[in-house]
Amino acid sequence: MGKGKMNQKAAALKEQTEAAQKSAQAGKAGKPAQKKGGRTAADKAAVAETTGRKAEAADRTADEGLTKIFEERLHRHHDELRWLYMELYENDSMFAELCDQMYQFYMERNDELKKLDTNREKDKEWYKKNDMLGMMFYIDNFAGNMKGVQSRLDYIEQCNVNYIHLMPFLDTPEGRSDGGYAVADFRKVQEKLGSMEDLDALTAACHKKGINVCMDFVMNHTSEDHEWAQKARQGDGEYMSRYFFYDSWDIPAQYEKTVPQVFPTTAPGNFTWLEDIGHYVMTSFYPYQWDLNYRNPRVFNDMMYNFLYLANRGIDIIRIDAVPYIWKELNTPCRNLQQVHTIVRMMRIIGEIICPSVLLLGEVVMEPEKVVPYFGSVEKPECHMLYNVTTMATTWHTVATRNVKLLKRQLDIVNGLPKEYVFLNYLRCHDDIGWGLDYGTLQTEGFGERSHKQYLNDYFQGYAGESTSRGELYNADPVTGDARFCGTTASMCGIEKAGFEQDEAAMERAVRMDLMLHAYMFMQSGIPVLYSGDEIGQVNDYTYKEDPNKAADSRYIHRGAMNWKLAENRKDPDTVEGKMFQGLAQLEQIRRSEKVFMTEADTWTIETWDDAVLCIGRYFEGEKLIGLFNFSEYDRTAWIKEADGEYVDLLTGSKIQPVDVQMPAYGFFYMKKIS
Ligand code: GLC
């Protein structure tokens, strides 16, 4: 672009900016005027005229103060936001509307949340502390409904958890919900789970206990029952333009050439034919999940209003579901396009202006080079947190092969990233485990991609001789031969098999392995997240097969209801539940009391000269910790050169010389340097 043209553009932008600011001002004028009207009535009643006037003046000053905060934040981000918006939409009046609405949402945000915003603005690193521990669950499975969750907050505290991810709870059609990821109304809670008021009460109760609340923001698509989709289906062009509609197969056919399938078995293809209106609609996921068209600024604006509405309910962490998919372009894979980053960056800015205490968690289940760009840059950040998905998959590869080489390599990659990047670490979540491993490296060691995936799937189904795992395949694709895997952590560690066979020695080993994996997960750089039920070693739930709405989706095998009866055993160290719960509690206590677990700590891997033993070092402000993890069912010896001086094992309190460490099967150590 020539310099002259650049100046022209800058001048035009300035003009537009002023127009938008005026519009935002107009919005500002609206609210206080309304309030004043209400109070005039009170004055008329002549209860206490002077007091009334004083209160009014105080209120006005407070409002002005608030407006000032908003203005300052807007001012800080306005030019960039406007630039990005114009780049995508070149639509002045829609940008002005966005600014106006942002102000409205800011004014509607309650005082408690505003206080949280300012506190967290001052302490931007608040979520990087070593006490952060997450737990995710479906509300109905965990406690029936929102009120039930509120009544279980003590249990959550006992789990040392200070962040809960409430799996999708917004209105969704029964039987066509994809586990709630097909939202019919972004401002309504599923009736069986409660109401928006219940959500307000739950988030407030959580905040009182220092617990953060996370929810999904499913922005790639809506349910076919969403008001927009229904209007589109009636042929309303304005609403049709919010989705991708085609009256012939021509364009869909072109898309299909370059766009991979998400659910090749349960929902093949990326389009659905709607017989009643003679159109195809884009459906990357299930046929009842219609992809939103973010080329339409109305979609972007309204979805941002939904985001702010939900943030104002007291949500601390917004999980942006399926974020790589939100922009579609012919002749591309429709994944991770540049416009997606523009949208996420705008969302981050909008959050910083209205609700800076809210974090964005991106769901990017892809290879590392595609995940990392969602952090944005240090100057222009996008998501605050991302899932450490490749590490998760590589962990299970390590379990199956008893060889830590690939995992060590993977951890080295993650540890080499800037410390501003915060990963969520987990052993499993509500979704399947896809075998997205570094096949380039595996190839050099003689592992073929297809055969290795086959091996892992066989292994975790329990077919391979040395496997103790139980679980099921997910979306086995007959064309590519690919399949993913589902199972709870406990079942994959052998707790289900050992329980079924009443084999005590095997159970002992399985529990140790489960605890070892958690101990290793806690050592990773980032924030650990548990799946509810894993803390008591809950196994697979096969009852989903009896429910016609769930039977075709094997992910339900690891989304079973929390077994509160078994949870009662958590205090009894002779039970599986007790061993798991207390074992985890000990690790959690260590993690939250040792500052070396801060996200900012240096983290690195250390050679052990034994392929089955992983060693991780952490260092922070003069303190050093070495973690050792035996991924095999045999006793091993780890040789560590780096371990200088004296160490104490934090689990037993005994002194340890970490040079040649004898490791029991699936054993682990947390060794802290004391001199
Ligand atoms: C995300 C969710 C998954 C859901 C999909 C479609 O990947 O984790 O459960 O099926 O999005 O919304």
Side-chain angles (χ1 to χ4, degrees), residues 14 68-69 101 157 173 212-213 232 242 253 257 269 283 300 310 329 357 413 439 441 452 535 571 598 600 616 659:
K14 192 164 173 277
K68 210 166 142 235
I69 295 179
Q101 286 294 311
E157 280 185 312
N212 297 286
V213 183
R242 298 183 189 200
K257 281 190 200 144
T283 54
F300 175 78
L310 294 165
E329 198 86 53
S357 62
I413 293 173
Y439 289 101
T441 299
H452 190 54
E535 76 281 12
K571 293 188 183 121
M598 297 283 277
E600 301 275 272
I616 301 178
V659 181

Side-chain angles (χ1 to χ4, degrees), residues 384-582:
H384 296 82
M385 308 188 293
L386 295 166
Y387 290 96
N388 202 349
V389 56
T390 304
T391 302
M392 183 276 291
T394 310
T395 300
W396 292 107
H397 153 91
T398 312
V399 167
T401 58
R402 279 81 164 159
N403 189 318
V404 303
K405 260 191 175 156
L406 192 72
L407 183 56
K408 189 171 175 308
R409 200 185 142 89
Q410 165 62 19
L411 293 173
D412 289 344
I413 293 173
V414 175
N415 294 334
L417 293 171
K419 291 205 184 112
E420 287 81 8
Y421 297 176
V422 177
F423 280 103
L424 285 200
N425 299 310
Y426 59 118
L427 293 172
R428 63 96 165 193
C429 66
H430 67 298
D431 279 331
D432 46 290
I433 299 172
W435 301 118
L437 306 173
D438 173 1
Y439 289 101
T441 299
L442 282 176
Q443 214 100 48
T444 61
E445 314 221 329
F447 292 92
E449 176 168 346
R450 197 173 162 146
S451 57
H452 190 54
K453 281 182 179 169
Q454 175 82 50
Y455 169 72
L456 293 172
N457 281 324
D458 284 352
Y459 181 89
F460 286 106
Q461 284 177 95
Y463 296 157
E466 67 282 20
S467 166
T468 55
S469 169
R470 289 289 179 269
E472 290 179 350
L473 296 189
Y474 179 69
N475 266 282
D477 186 339
V479 181
T480 60
D482 214 0
R484 283 115 76 177
F485 185 81
C486 298
T488 69
T489 310
S491 284
M492 292 177 77
C493 287
I495 290 182
E496 180 179 335
K497 181 175 189 278
F500 187 73
E501 292 169 0
Q502 302 198 345
D503 181 337
E504 266 179 47
M507 183 62 90
E508 197 69 42
R509 241 185 346 258
V511 168
R512 198 137 25 104
M513 174 175 169
D514 200 332
L515 286 172
M516 181 277 290
L517 288 179
H518 280 92
Y520 137 76
M521 199 240 301
F522 288 178
M523 274 295 276
Q524 289 171 37
S525 172
I527 300 169
V529 182
L530 308 169
Y531 195 97
S532 137
D534 281 7
E535 76 281 12
I536 53 163
Q538 222 169 274
V539 297
N540 290 337
D541 174 14
Y542 297 89
T543 60
Y544 80 96
K545 291 174 195 286
E546 292 146 27
D547 182 340
N549 289 334
K550 296 180 176 164
D553 196 329
S554 52
R555 288 176 298 177
Y556 286 102
I557 198 175
H558 55 227
R559 297 175 180 174
M562 176 74 190
N563 189 330
W564 289 106
K565 191 90 207 101
L566 285 180
E568 280 169 18
N569 293 339
R570 67 185 180 279
K571 293 188 183 121
D572 179 352
D574 293 332
T575 62
V576 171
E577 295 75 30
K579 285 184 185 130
M580 278 304 304
F581 194 89
Q582 292 178 20

Side-chain angles (χ1 to χ4, degrees), residues 250-487:
D250 294 348
I251 295 178
Q254 279 190 56
Y255 271 113
E256 291 291 13
K257 281 190 200 144
T258 54
V259 184
Q261 305 186 56
V262 183
F263 298 145
T265 319
T266 48
N270 289 291
F271 291 87
T272 299
W273 172 248
L274 303 174
E275 188 66 49
D276 47 339
I277 58 160
H279 271 80
Y280 289 96
V281 65
M282 187 187 277
T283 54
S284 304
F285 293 83
Y286 279 109
Y288 49 77
Q289 289 165 306
W290 294 7
D291 288 71
L292 283 168
N293 182 0
Y294 279 89
R295 282 167 193 277
N296 183 343
R298 172 53 58 217
V299 169
F300 175 78
N301 279 27
D302 279 27
M303 289 304 283
M304 288 307 103
Y305 308 154
N306 286 331
F307 154 51
L308 294 175
Y309 171 85
L310 294 165
N312 279 356
R313 306 275 68 74
I315 300 296
D316 301 275
I317 304 169
I318 293 273
R319 174 186 182 271
I320 318 176
D321 183 60
V323 62
Y325 302 76
I326 59 181
W327 192 273
K328 317 294 193 292
E329 198 86 53
L330 259 186
N331 305 318
T332 73
C334 294
R335 309 277 196 270
N336 309 304
L337 299 179
Q338 189 44 45
Q339 293 86 342
V340 173
H341 290 282
T342 306
I343 289 177
V344 179
R345 175 70 191 141
M346 285 199 283
M347 211 169 154
R348 171 76 180 248
I349 293 175
I350 292 169
E352 302 273 2
I353 296 171
I354 319 301
C355 47
S357 62
V358 174
L359 304 177
L360 298 181
L361 160 63
E363 190 223 2
V364 188
V365 181
M366 297 189 169
E367 51 272 46
E369 47 293 7
K370 300 206 171 116
V371 173
V372 169
Y374 285 88
F375 283 119
S377 64
V378 176
E379 300 78 36
K380 294 186 176 16
E382 295 178 22
C383 293
H384 296 82
M385 308 188 293
L386 295 166
Y387 290 96
N388 202 349
V389 56
T390 304
T391 302
M392 183 276 291
T394 310
T395 300
W396 292 107
H397 153 91
T398 312
V399 167
T401 58
R402 279 81 164 159
N403 189 318
V404 303
K405 260 191 175 156
L406 192 72
L407 183 56
K408 189 171 175 308
R409 200 185 142 89
Q410 165 62 19
L411 293 173
D412 289 344
I413 293 173
V414 175
N415 294 334
L417 293 171
K419 291 205 184 112
E420 287 81 8
Y421 297 176
V422 177
F423 280 103
L424 285 200
N425 299 310
Y426 59 118
L427 293 172
R428 63 96 165 193
C429 66
H430 67 298
D431 279 331
D432 46 290
I433 299 172
W435 301 118
L437 306 173
D438 173 1
Y439 289 101
T441 299
L442 282 176
Q443 214 100 48
T444 61
E445 314 221 329
F447 292 92
E449 176 168 346
R450 197 173 162 146
S451 57
H452 190 54
K453 281 182 179 169
Q454 175 82 50
Y455 169 72
L456 293 172
N457 281 324
D458 284 352
Y459 181 89
F460 286 106
Q461 284 177 95
Y463 296 157
E466 67 282 20
S467 166
T468 55
S469 169
R470 289 289 179 269
E472 290 179 350
L473 296 189
Y474 179 69
N475 266 282
D477 186 339
V479 181
T480 60
D482 214 0
R484 283 115 76 177
F485 185 81
C486 298

Side-chain angles (χ1 to χ4, degrees), residues 606-611 613-615 626 628 636-643 657-663 671:
I606 298 166
E607 186 54 67
T608 64
W609 307 103
D610 185 323
D611 281 346
V613 183
L614 179 74
C615 185
I626 291 182
L628 273 175
R636 298 285 190 161
T637 305
W639 298 92
I640 313 166
K641 266 208 204 125
E642 155 161 0
Q657 204 58 47
V659 181
D660 53 336
V661 186
Q662 308 303 311
M663 309 259 337
M671 303 179 296

